[in-house]
Amino acid sequence: MWFEAMLIGILCYLGALSSPWLLGLTGGWYILSRPLVSGMLVGAILGDVQTGIIIGVAVQAVYIAMVTPGGSMPADLNFVAFPAIALGILSGKGPEVAVALAATIGIMGTVLFNAMMVLNSYWNHRADAAVEKGDERGIYLNSAIWPQVTNFLLRFIPTFTAVFFGARYINAFMDSLPGGVLTTMNVVGGILPAVGIAILLKQIIKSYSMLIYFLVGFICIVFLKLNMVALVMVGALLALIHYNYKPEPQAATVQATPQADDEDEF
Amino acid sequence: MDMPTPKLNKQDLRRCWRAWMMYNLSSMSFERLESYGFCLGMMPALKKLYQDKQQRIEAIRRHTSFYNTEPQLGAIVNGMVVGLEEKRANGEAIDGEVINTLKVGLMGPVAGIGDSMLPGMLIPILLSIGMALAAGGSVIGPLFYIMAFSLIVIPGSYWLFMKGYHMGSGSVEMLVSSKSSRLREALSLLGVFVMGGVAASYVKLGTGLEFITKDGVNIHLQQMLDGIFPNLMPLLVVLVTWYLMAKRGLSPVKAMLGLLLLAAVGVACGLFS
């Protein structure tokens, strides 16, 4: 198991928010750390790609719209994507329970994310000192190398530990839980995606009229039974109609009318 | 002065873009965020432009101030700054203050547009297609997402970097023009529409309540609901969560705990199954 745990630990580091190896956050955070992708990779490492992807899809739904403006992190997606999905697969209790497990680990993971952000302040100060001294090597070491060593340790060690030791006990632990807890985890796993969806709606919906498109999309799936690819096409066509027929903002003419009125009064 | 005028070639520009893409968040902290990421992204250009060590350190210091933007779309700012540094090194009257003001002035708007376009729209749309293609555990789903995202974002940010370098400060017009804001509005419409489908497909909640009337008729509540409006309960959960988060300022973590509480109470009363 140590080999699998090591691979998952390395992937967890490569997918971390600040890891530079795969063109920064483009290949790491936005590709490797999407549960859809990590489910496939972790599944492959643990020898069951299919289960991995099914669990990855279920977990992905919760975090579909997570944005991290200015480094605030409601849940550490990187720990969700690697150790949590690995434990979800190993527990063998199905996707809903894996979702509940992942959400718990994700929220706990923010502690380590914040620890990294604080530790990096130290490296930033050392880099500042290097700039003052004109030490270019020092700048590179303190802004690229040492912060990455910190990052690696904070990602690899917890992941390796969780997968290596968790693998032996997770099954027995899950079986020892009372039935009510497992049912609750199942129900929670089913409704947690509501949070991810709500985060996106919160960002995008500026007026209640936008909610219409959400409801139309919902109805297209529930009543018209469209599949997702067809849904995206219908949505793209609606967007095209909106783009073509929305009038240009007519600031000039709107302002012209009251001005004309003012002139009449004089 | 008879110093040779330093010029950046295509390779230098590519190095700058790559350094920015790799290191933008590498030493992020609450206090500085992308400041040293920006600095490392400038390094390849500064090394070539300022052969004199004192001048180079001066330029490096200029690029270590606080900085934060959406990195992939933000490549356009790096392109512009590289262009300005090149002009400055060639003796044009651009002082360091101008360069810094430009950076600080652009990082906010570019972050706003970038966060709403990439993690706010492009990623959810591509993910929801990928999740649909992954039905039953098929590898096509994840592979689709990996390919589609890389093919859009990597060449896209490279193009933006080059656009910023060649067009200078005019290039941001492209991002904030009325045409592009209309385009963003259309895309956010698509995002909301697709989210409706995601909500219908991935939020699951059912009730197991059954009543048996005294005539012996078995009323299964979930079957009745399904006959009227399937997925009504998931829809209500999403709308209430959205309302509480958007209008009542509930944080994501509290929303998750709230749903946990709802589930626990529901299971305890036998309402959910």
Side-chain angles (χ1 to χ4, degrees):
Chain A
M1 199 63 209
W2 65 270
F3 184 66
E4 285 89 341
M6 208 174 75
L7 282 181
I8 295 171
I10 291 170
L11 281 176
C12 184
Y13 163 67
L14 290 177
L17 181 60
S18 63
S19 163
W21 300 105
L22 303 162
L23 269 189
L25 88 171
T26 309
W29 181 247
Y30 281 144
I31 293 182
L32 268 195
S33 276
R34 296 303 107 178
L36 174 65
V37 175
S38 74
M40 173 176 77
L41 298 174
V42 174
I45 292 171
L46 296 176
D48 190 348
V49 182
Q50 202 180 1
T51 309
I53 293 174
I54 290 170
I55 287 176
V57 168
V59 174
Q60 182 65 71
V62 181
Y63 300 96
I64 192 157
M66 211 166 73
V67 187
T68 49
S72 67
M73 186 81 75
D76 194 306
L77 195 51
N78 189 227
F79 282 129
V80 168
F82 292 98
I85 286 191
L87 291 179
I89 296 172
L90 290 168
S91 78
K93 287 283 180 287
E96 270 83 16
V97 171
V99 169
L101 201 65
T104 318
I105 293 174
I107 292 174
M108 292 192 306
T110 55
V111 176
L112 285 169
F113 177 79
N114 290 337
M116 180 198 79
M117 295 287 274
V118 171
L119 286 171
N120 277 346
S121 279
Y122 170 73
W123 300 122
N124 289 162
H125 286 292
R126 298 227 337 186
D128 283 343
V131 172
E132 292 311 315
K133 278 190 295 190
D135 169 15
E136 284 173 52
R137 191 165 161 273
I139 299 173
Y140 184 70
L141 281 176
N142 288 303
S143 56
I145 305 297
W146 301 130
Q148 283 312 308
V149 172
T150 316
N151 191 18
F152 179 79
L153 296 177
L154 284 176
R155 296 288 151 184
F156 181 83
I157 294 172
T159 305
F160 179 84
T161 315
V163 177
F164 185 72
F165 293 102
R168 292 182 216 169
Y169 303 116
I170 188 85
N171 232 317
F173 173 73
M174 284 290 170
D175 285 334
S176 72
L177 290 176
V181 175
L182 270 182
T183 317
T184 306
M185 282 176 93
N186 256 313
V187 173
V188 170
I191 55 180
L192 272 183
V195 177
I197 293 160
I199 292 176
L200 185 112
L201 294 182
K202 181 185 163 191
Q203 286 161 16
I204 298 185
I205 293 185
K206 301 282 190 281
S207 66
Y208 281 102
S209 66
M210 279 291 268
L211 210 54
I212 296 170
Y213 292 101
F214 176 80
L215 293 174
V216 175
F218 194 91
I219 284 166
C220 279
I221 294 281
V222 168
F223 287 103
L224 303 182
K225 313 257 182 251
L226 292 189
N227 71 28
M228 199 56 83
V229 179
L231 186 84
V232 171
M233 286 179 191
V234 173
L237 293 173
L238 286 178
L240 199 63
I241 292 171
H242 180 87
Y243 179 74
N244 279 326
Y245 295 107
K246 182 172 187 203
E248 284 282 352
Q250 305 202 325
T253 49
V254 171
Q255 275 180 355
T257 337
Q259 270 169 7
D261 288 344
D262 285 350
E263 278 169 6
D264 283 345
E265 281 175 30
F266 285 106
Chain B
M1 274 202 295
D2 53 350
M3 287 240 302
T5 51
K7 282 268 175 249
L8 297 174
N9 58 29
K10 193 107 189 161
Q11 203 188 3
D12 299 321
L13 293 177
R14 211 173 289 148
R15 268 196 205 121
C16 281
W17 170 74
R18 204 169 48 219
W20 163 247
M21 289 299 274
M22 285 176 68
Y23 294 119
N24 50 51
L25 297 171
S26 74
S27 62
M28 72 187 304
S29 63
F30 286 120
E31 133 186 53
R32 301 292 279 277
L33 287 158
E34 294 163 6
S35 91
Y36 274 98
F38 195 91
C39 180
L40 288 179
M42 285 292 135
M43 244 10 162
L46 299 182
K47 276 200 176 122
K48 182 140 188 195
L49 292 174
Y50 300 102
Q51 304 287 341
D52 173 56
K53 175 139 186 180
Q54 207 43 51
Q55 277 187 333
R56 186 161 69 238
I57 293 292
E58 202 47 54
I60 289 173
R61 183 176 297 136
R62 186 158 60 238
H63 292 300
T64 59
S65 56
F66 176 87
Y67 188 73
N68 186 39
T69 195
E70 199 286 313
Q72 299 159 100
L73 203 77
I76 195 170
V77 180
N78 289 60
M80 285 162 54
V81 173
V82 168
L84 287 174
E85 285 288 357
E86 185 181 25
K87 288 197 178 115
R88 182 184 148 87
N90 283 309
E92 280 188 40
I94 300 167
D95 66 355
E97 202 51 42
V98 171
I99 298 180
N100 240 329
T101 316
L102 182 89
K103 263 172 70 184
V104 175
L106 287 179
M107 69 184 193
V110 170
I113 297 171
D115 279 342
S116 66
M117 297 247 307
L118 286 159
M121 269 164 248
L122 179 70
I123 291 176
I125 290 169
L126 293 180
L127 278 176
S128 58
I129 299 174
M131 284 155 73
L133 295 176
S138 158
V139 290
I140 298 171
L143 293 181
F144 163 83
Y145 177 76
I146 297 171
M147 295 296 287
F149 185 77
S150 326
L151 289 177
I152 294 171
V153 170
I154 297 173
S157 82
Y158 180 74
W159 182 80
L160 283 169
F161 180 90
M162 292 300 170
K163 206 80 187 160
Y165 173 76
H166 290 297
M167 287 174 64
S169 46
S171 58
V172 173
E173 290 289 307
M174 192 175 71
L175 295 179
V176 295
S177 68
S178 77
K179 200 174 162 190
S180 87
S181 76
R182 206 161 46 142
L183 181 67
R184 283 203 301 281
E185 208 176 292
L187 285 174
S188 55
L189 185 156
L190 172 61
V192 171
F193 183 79
V194 170
M195 270 310 117
V198 170
S201 312
Y202 296 106
V203 185
K204 294 190 183 73
L205 183 62
T207 173
L209 276 192
E210 282 180 64
F211 304 101
I212 297 172
T213 59
K214 56 179 184 286
D215 309 326
V217 182
N218 189 346
I219 298 176
H220 196 289
L221 193 59
Q222 186 60 45
Q223 279 172 7
M224 277 178 63
L225 278 176
D226 285 346
I228 306 162
F229 193 142
N231 291 30
L232 181 64
M233 296 212 313
L235 180 63
L236 290 177
V237 170
V238 172
L239 290 179
V240 170
T241 312
W242 165 72
Y243 176 80
L244 291 175
M245 287 178 69
K247 309 287 167 186
R248 292 277 175 270
L250 200 69
S251 73
V253 173
K254 282 188 185 141
M256 285 184 172
L257 292 176
L259 291 181
L260 176 65
L261 201 67
L262 175 76
V265 172
V267 169
C269 323
L271 183 63
F272 302 145
S273 64

